[in-house]
Amino acid sequence: MSDAFITETAVEPTGSGPLDGVTVAVKDNISTAGVRTTCGSAMLADYVPPYDATVVERLKAAGATVVGKTNMDEFGMGTTTETSAFGPTDNPAAPGRVPGGSSGGSAAAVAAGEADVALGSDTGGSVRCPAAFCGVVGIKPTYGLVSRYGLVAYANSLEQIGPLAPTVEAAAGLLDVIAGPDERDATTREPPGGLPESYADAADGDVAGLTVGVPTELLEGADDGVRECFEDALAELRDRGTTTEAVSLPSVETAVQAYYVIAMSEASSNLARFDGVRYGPATEADGDWNDAFAAVREEGFGEEVKRRVLLGTYALSAGYHDKYYEQAQDARAWVKQDFDAAFEDVDVLASPTMPVPPFERGESLDDPLQMYLADANTVPVNLANLPAISVPAGETDEGPVGLQLVGPAFGEATLVRAGSALA
Ligand code: GLN
């Protein structure tokens, strides 16, 4: 079995539509009725959901065949797909290197041609990072455009399910199928002015007249090779009639810290359900319920998940709540304001998706802080609930580079248009 998948399957379509004959790989934190959904965790190794996530229902109704559940960092916590309890996934576009994460299996399946398209989830970059590292396209939709019903929650206020595909048009076509309100997820809503007829039709590459802002803060930490690819892609956009200008988003300097406090806090609450009673294997432990819960979690959770539950619990605890969680929420509001102000002057913002090329396998495992810092360019978008796309923008000796375009809320069609000028 390919190392992109945790479970291979062949779930037949229930209807016929734009995805007739299309194979889709689905990240293993998105519920599939009758097919185990592990979240990359030993805790859920045998968990088989009794229902489909809304996005899966929509895929099947549109004619798609689900070919497998893809490998991922445990519960979405990571940037390399190496925290999976099911072992690592290699990067088909840069063998020996990580495919990015946490939706690394989905990106690898698309890059290797093992599925036509794939779904991932993006809490702080988990669709865009693997798209960039594997040389494919990834879209993180505006918060509320795509239903999270059936997505196993990591940090609800930040995450969206999003498409991965070899081309912008194919990614947009997948977005067409999954986007739109769902009565089972009260955070979904119609875009102002309604859903466009088709996001895929916007992939016409017609960018003449568009203004592209380049936040200086998001270029600062980038590797030289990444920067060169990025500058070449910007030049290409200018050749096609866009203007580019430098802009400043001072608040993004706080984004990684704010993101990790908020994400870990939400995770500590969400993961409380894995106690061997509601979810997770039952335990034989003697003693009181505290001992029983601890025994299940000791066995079932990996190191990164434990670290985050502990830190999140600490950040939310009495006495520390004001110091960490509240401050992170203030920073989040500031990031939102900064983006709003930038979009008064420009149509889209561009940056490298990841400041670095794909890591060598094993490289980042000993240094979680280094791994968190690699998310500097992706997490501000989740904090601000905005849409973004990552498109391939060349390669360094160490692997593919992605260019990220960020748009105003529900500006997906513009991102598809601009992205399709490059890929
Ligand atoms: N790398 C980030 C994290 O570990 C993003 C993960 C994600 O988007 N699920 O939290």
Side-chain angles (χ1 to χ4, degrees):
M1 187 171 84
S2 149
D3 67 7
F5 293 99
I6 293 175
T7 307
E8 282 182 299
T9 175
V11 180
E12 296 300 324
T14 54
S16 168
L19 298 182
D20 281 345
V22 174
T23 55
V24 188
V26 175
K27 188 176 183 180
D28 212 19
N29 60 351
I30 300 174
S31 303
T32 39
V35 180
R36 74 172 177 159
T37 297
T38 68
C39 295
S41 182
M43 185 67 93
L44 292 176
D46 300 316
Y47 170 63
V48 179
Y51 67 99
D52 275 331
T54 296
V55 291
V56 171
E57 227 174 64
R58 291 184 181 177
L59 288 180
K60 286 159 67 173
T65 300
V66 176
V67 291
K69 302 299 298 292
T70 57
N71 199 16
M72 56 181 284
D73 284 297
E74 187 176 4
F75 289 103
M77 300 176 186
T79 308
T80 66
T81 308
E82 292 173 300
T83 72
S84 169
F86 297 84
T89 295
D90 200 31
N91 183 336
R97 294 181 181 269
V98 303
S102 63
S103 317
S106 289
V110 170
E114 288 161 3
D116 297 326
V117 293
L119 289 182
S121 66
D122 191 310
T123 311
S126 282
V127 165
R128 290 160 288 158
C129 161
F133 281 4
C134 292
V136 301
V137 175
I139 300 176
K140 182 266 168 201
T142 306
Y143 191 77
L145 183 65
V146 177
S147 171
R148 286 181 296 107
Y149 179 77
L151 170 69
V152 180
Y154 158 20
N156 328 40
S157 81
L158 296 161
E159 59 209 5
Q160 280 284 290
I161 293 169
L164 291 131
T167 63
V168 173
E169 190 178 5
L174 187 52
L175 183 63
D176 278 321
V177 170
I178 61 172
D182 175 16
E183 62 182 23
R184 291 176 297 190
D185 175 358
T187 61
T188 54
R189 59 195 168 113
E190 281 263 313
L195 274 175
E197 189 85 359
S198 158
Y199 289 111
D201 285 353
D204 57 11
D206 181 9
V207 286
L210 211 70
T211 316
V212 180
V214 181
T216 45
E217 292 83 359
L218 300 186
L219 264 181
E220 273 161 16
D223 268 29
D224 290 345
V226 169
R227 221 181 153 120
E228 262 172 48
C229 290
F230 176 72
E231 297 292 351
D232 288 349
L234 278 188
E236 167 85 31
L237 283 174
R238 279 193 294 269
D239 285 347
R240 286 169 166 262
T242 67
T243 46
T244 56
E245 60 183 69
V247 300
S248 180
L249 296 175
S251 64
V252 302
E253 310 281 4
T254 66
V256 170
Q257 292 89 327
Y259 167 81
Y260 274 97
V261 170
I262 294 169
M264 290 179 187
S265 297
E266 292 188 25
S268 72
S269 162
N270 279 321
L271 270 55
R273 73 192 61 165
F274 302 105
D275 54 16
V277 179
R278 287 168 292 179
Y279 293 94
T283 154
E284 311 272 291
D286 293 329
D288 62 13
W289 58 266
N290 240 335
D291 295 331
F293 287 8
V296 172
R297 291 173 182 158
E298 169 59 30
E299 281 285 307
F301 285 150
E303 200 182 326
E304 184 63 26
V305 171
K306 285 178 189 155
R307 177 172 16 252
R308 294 191 188 199
V309 170
L310 286 171
L311 286 169
T313 306
Y314 179 79
L316 288 178
S317 57
Y320 293 103
H321 180 270
D322 299 358
K323 199 167 162 199
Y324 299 111
Y325 189 71
E326 300 253 303
Q327 277 215 51
Q329 293 293 4
D330 286 348
R332 183 172 190 175
W334 184 27
V335 170
K336 279 187 184 157
Q337 271 173 21
D338 258 3
F339 274 110
D340 286 347
F343 288 125
E344 284 173 15
D345 298 327
V346 301
D347 298 308
V348 297
L349 294 165
S351 75
T353 306
M354 299 300 288
V356 288
F359 311 107
E360 276 180 53
R361 281 172 49 175
E363 195 183 329
S364 68
L365 280 178
D366 304 329
D367 192 349
L369 190 58
Q370 222 36 51
M371 192 177 74
Y372 301 163
L373 289 171
D375 297 335
N377 291 3
T378 51
V379 296
V381 176
N382 302 73
L383 290 172
N385 297 341
L386 296 175
I389 188 168
S390 178
V391 296
E395 287 210 20
T396 69
D397 297 343
E398 292 155 282
V401 171
L403 175 133
Q404 169 176 257
L405 294 165
V406 185
F410 297 106
E412 276 80 357
T414 307
L415 295 181
V416 166
R417 181 156 284 126
S420 65
L422 294 171

